[in-house]
Amino acid sequence: MLDGCAPWPEELARDYVRTGCWEARSLASLLEERSRESPHRACLSDRGGELSYREVNRLAERVALELSACGLQARDIVLLQLPNVREFVVVFFALQKIGVIPVMCLPAHRHSELTYFARLTGATAHFFAPGFRDFDFLAMAREVQAGAPTLKLLVATGHGRESGVRYLAPLMEQRPAEADREALAAGDVADPFDVAFLLLSGGTTGVPKLIPRTHADYLYNARTCARVLGWSRDTVFMAALPAAHNFALGAPGIIATMIVGGRVALSASTDADEVFGVIERHRVTVLPATPALIIALLNSPRRDKYDLTSLRQICVGGQRMLPELFDRVRAAFPSAIPIHAFGMAEGLTNLTRPDDPLEVQRETQGRPVSPSDEFRIVDEDGADVPVGAVGELIARGPYTIRGYYRAEQHNRLAFTTDGFFRTGDLVRMHPSGNLVVDGRMKDMINRGGEKISAEEIENLILSHDRVQMVAVVAMPDPVMGERSCAFVVPREGATLTLSQLNEFLMTKRIAKFKLPERLELVGAFPVTAMGKVSKKALREQIAATLRMENGG
Ligand code: OOB
């Protein structure tokens, strides 16, 4: 396995192969097979139009050959930072064809995160969309490159003439020699049981962690999701959430759609009108969404202007969907079933089933998709809690990782000695056997499905010269679920405003969604019996303040 990754124990790996969970096929072979079997079937659409499976495969071949010619080699690691446009899928599969491992960055990531990923992995290339959302990704890419000299190659979408940058549009227009295409197809370089890409963890520590996912484990994860949801060639899956995120990529996602030979509709925007327009135009059947996106769609006054009757499943995940929201979704989209998706980039995917009793669909966050998933609900000592009681969910199985990439020390905390991943989620078992998410132990803020590590932001705030102590906690929000609030004990005689704090944080060049949205200056922090800062008390304090401000 890739250096810095923890493999599954050998005996178990053999078992996963024997029982058919893991197949000896790569992600590249998935697209090649579909392209052979159903060359003319529609595979992918974005604003630029529609592409068949064969067209996507051809484009990926061209890009793969050019990237090889630029010096990219099997097992190189690269930063893939593309929005939901066709190039995302084309480049992803081009990299797979030549065995190159992408780090699945989000368009929201900035210098700090990207430089860190590049240095940790020794990444050799950075793929980006120069003008996406009016941000100068090229200038950022150059700065990141200056701080991480392994980044030899910058690759941008579109056409252009900037020096030192390769542009994808002309690469995608190349007509490679037949012999080169054949050699590429024949020489599938990837080991199906090795790492195909690195996902990003929501992160509960000072720095985001990288999650190595193998071809076999990911294809199994996606295939099982598709089976549980009853998908077929008629499935039209819409990706409006970032395609690089596990929910939209493969759990269930784009890969699951390609496994069943369905169609993917990409939207680079989550604006309600855009989303509705794509659903109507492409007769979308499955929409994955966070509760925050669903609320925005429900609140849009323009919903009635569109024909949304093609929708069959609205998968809601990333954050808990409350039963009341479930009811609103059902009422607003009568042709669709709301599905709870409680997943994590580390692996374990829980889904409610379309044939679960209504009450179970409404009140639970689903159950693991595979019979080979093992999970336990444990107390602080690692003992199983009584059935129905709340405890931490820990999990292992054929698609749940055994360790983060190059994070040995952290892995000792994040995994049990017998290989269970500690999810940090507090759950209980519903009488139906499904899980209900009840809270979490991990120190993070879940802002509309986007995860913010409290420790990461606290470390940055602590470097401000007016700050003596800081604690970042979640405050409740009716749309986002949570937003982040920074409690600060200022230095003697100093004062600080939220905008001063955020101006300072922006100089640290981090993703904007991580900025605190409220600052509370206090004289001291409440502490626990152990003398630690009580984040629980701070969360309660800010929740009470908000209740008071909103008139009780
Ligand atoms: C998904 O993946 P991540 O890696 O961004 O975040 C995982 C964490 C979970 O550990 C849990 O704390 C929270 O996000 N979460 C949910 C949830 N879905 C995720 N909490 C309550 N209810 C839910 N339905 O967020 C993700 C990956 C694949 C599919 C869906 C979501």
Side-chain angles (χ1 to χ4, degrees):
M1 214 168 169
L2 181 71
D3 190 40
C5 302
W8 281 262
E10 243 172 67
E11 200 176 320
L12 206 55
R14 268 198 299 274
D15 251 17
Y16 291 150
V17 172
R18 193 177 46 78
T19 52
C21 295
W22 288 1
E23 294 176 349
R25 74 206 278 247
S26 67
L27 279 157
S29 70
L30 166 67
L31 176 61
E32 280 146 22
E33 266 172 45
R34 287 292 158 278
S35 153
R36 256 196 319 274
E37 286 165 11
S38 335
H40 304 299
R41 273 189 80 78
C43 169
L44 185 67
S45 63
D46 67 359
R47 276 196 160 178
E50 196 160 81
L51 296 170
S52 67
Y53 274 96
R54 178 149 82 187
E55 285 168 324
V56 173
N57 191 42
R58 285 273 158 93
L59 291 174
E61 277 172 357
R62 291 173 192 171
V63 174
L65 289 167
E66 289 293 325
L67 293 177
S68 285
C70 291
L72 284 192
Q73 290 176 1
R75 297 173 90 81
D76 273 359
I77 298 181
V78 300
L79 306 182
L80 181 62
Q81 191 188 28
L82 293 176
N84 293 10
V85 291
R86 60 183 56 196
E87 287 87 347
F88 174 90
V89 177
V90 168
V91 171
F92 179 81
F93 280 100
L95 296 170
Q96 294 304 328
K97 281 175 186 287
I98 55 174
V100 172
I101 299 167
V103 180
M104 307 302 284
C105 308
L106 300 176
H109 286 129
R110 293 293 175 261
H111 308 64
S112 160
E113 290 97 353
L114 295 166
T115 306
Y116 169 74
F117 300 146
R119 286 189 184 154
L120 179 67
T121 61
T124 55
H126 181 183
F127 295 78
F128 55 92
F132 181 64
R133 299 222 168 119
D134 297 326
F135 178 76
D136 190 346
F137 280 86
L138 172 59
M140 176 171 71
R142 289 202 196 281
E143 286 183 52
V144 172
Q145 189 178 35
T150 55
L151 285 169
K152 296 182 302 244
L153 187 63
L154 301 185
V155 186
T157 54
H159 291 275
R161 294 171 163 277
E162 293 288 339
S163 70
V165 183
R166 302 290 303 227
Y167 285 87
L168 281 165
L171 293 193
M172 283 161 63
E173 283 154 21
Q174 299 286 334
R175 299 255 161 235
E178 201 56 30
D180 290 343
R181 290 189 45 228
E182 279 166 19
L184 181 68
D188 192 348
V189 284
D191 171 353
F193 305 113
D194 209 328
V195 178
F197 52 84
L198 295 157
L199 290 174
L200 305 181
S201 80
T204 54
T205 57
V207 285
K209 295 281 175 288
L210 300 187
I211 297 170
R213 300 294 301 259
T214 66
H215 299 262
D217 100 63
Y218 208 69
L219 284 166
Y220 177 63
N221 190 174
R223 187 167 83 235
T224 315
C225 287
R227 188 163 55 223
V228 158
L229 295 175
W231 287 8
S232 71
R233 310 179 84 186
D234 298 330
T235 296
V236 184
F237 176 89
M238 170 157 187
L241 300 179
H245 187 275
N246 186 39
F247 190 17
L249 183 67
I254 295 170
I255 305 290
T257 310
M258 294 176 71
I259 288 174
V260 296
R263 190 145 56 88
V264 173
L266 294 173
S267 169
S269 157
T270 50
D271 170 75
D273 264 304
E274 287 272 339
V275 172
F276 293 145
V278 172
I279 295 172
E280 180 177 79
R281 224 171 15 261
H282 296 284
R283 307 288 303 153
V284 167
T285 64
V286 179
L287 174 71
T290 55
L293 174 57
I294 281 295
I295 292 172
L297 298 182
L298 288 172
N299 289 346
S300 163
R302 302 189 30 88
R303 186 154 42 89
D304 294 343
K305 306 243 178 314
Y306 296 88
D307 177 2
L308 307 174
T309 55
S310 58
L311 284 173
R312 294 290 170 266
Q313 295 175 342
I314 299 183
C315 299
V316 183
Q319 209 173 22
R320 183 169 167 188
M321 165 166 60
L322 294 172
E324 296 70 34
L325 185 57
F326 179 97
D327 295 340
R328 286 183 68 197
V329 174
R330 255 177 38 111
F333 305 99
S335 63
I337 302 177
I339 303 271
H340 282 270
F342 163 37
M344 50 209 76
E346 288 83 355
L348 183 72
T349 315
N350 302 279
L351 297 173
T352 46
R353 312 299 202 255
D355 59 357
D356 278 342
L358 185 61
E359 167 221 335
V360 176
Q361 287 187 30
R362 183 174 182 269
E363 287 170 19
T364 76
Q365 275 64 58
R367 61 183 180 278
V369 291
S370 161
S372 303
D373 282 318
E374 297 175 71
F375 73 88
R376 294 173 55 203
I377 305 174
V378 299
D379 64 19
E380 279 161 12
D381 302 323
D384 292 301
V385 299
V387 176
V390 173
E392 187 188 8
L393 175 68
I394 63 173
R396 65 180 182 190
Y399 62 91
T400 297
I401 57 161
R402 291 298 179 128
Y404 293 100
Y405 174 76
R406 292 196 175 160
E408 231 172 272
Q409 211 178 339
H410 180 65
N411 286 341
R412 282 196 280 275
L413 301 172
F415 294 82
T416 64
T417 46
D418 53 356
F420 280 83
F421 168 57
R422 299 184 206 268
T423 66
D425 291 313
L426 291 171
V427 305
R428 64 187 161 81
M429 175 82 89
H430 187 265
S432 61
N434 278 15
L435 299 172
V436 177
V437 180
D438 206 69
R440 66 167 180 265
M441 305 157 66
K442 46 191 172 190
D443 195 9
M444 98 195 172
I445 295 95
N446 189 340
R447 183 185 185 274
E450 279 179 314
K451 315 301 185 312
I452 305 165
S453 152
E455 189 185 322
E456 180 185 351
I457 305 308
E458 286 164 0
N459 286 341
L460 296 175
I461 295 178
L462 267 181
S463 65
H464 193 294
D465 57 12
R466 294 192 203 160
V467 173
Q468 189 184 336
M469 285 216 289
V470 59
V472 174
V473 300
M475 56 182 177
D477 182 82
V479 175
M480 290 302 193
E482 299 173 11
R483 292 182 189 269
S484 82
C485 172
F487 279 88
V488 165
V489 179
R491 283 189 192 279
E492 194 77 33
T495 168
L496 187 67
T497 64
L498 179 64
S499 57
Q500 285 168 343
L501 175 63
N502 281 342
E503 250 167 58
F504 170 77
L505 287 175
M506 286 312 281
T507 65
K508 304 290 179 185
R509 309 178 121 187
I510 52 171
K512 222 173 165 178
F513 69 81
K514 297 178 180 174
L515 297 180
E517 289 170 272
R518 182 162 178 139
L519 172 65
E520 294 286 294
L521 296 181
V522 290
F525 287 144
V527 288
T528 64
M530 304 288 289
K532 276 178 47 174
V533 173
S534 171
K535 288 208 162 176
K536 183 162 173 277
L538 289 173
R539 276 195 299 271
E540 285 166 5
Q541 186 178 324
I542 186 65
T545 308
L546 289 171
R547 269 198 307 278
M548 230 166 55
E549 287 174 0
N550 296 328

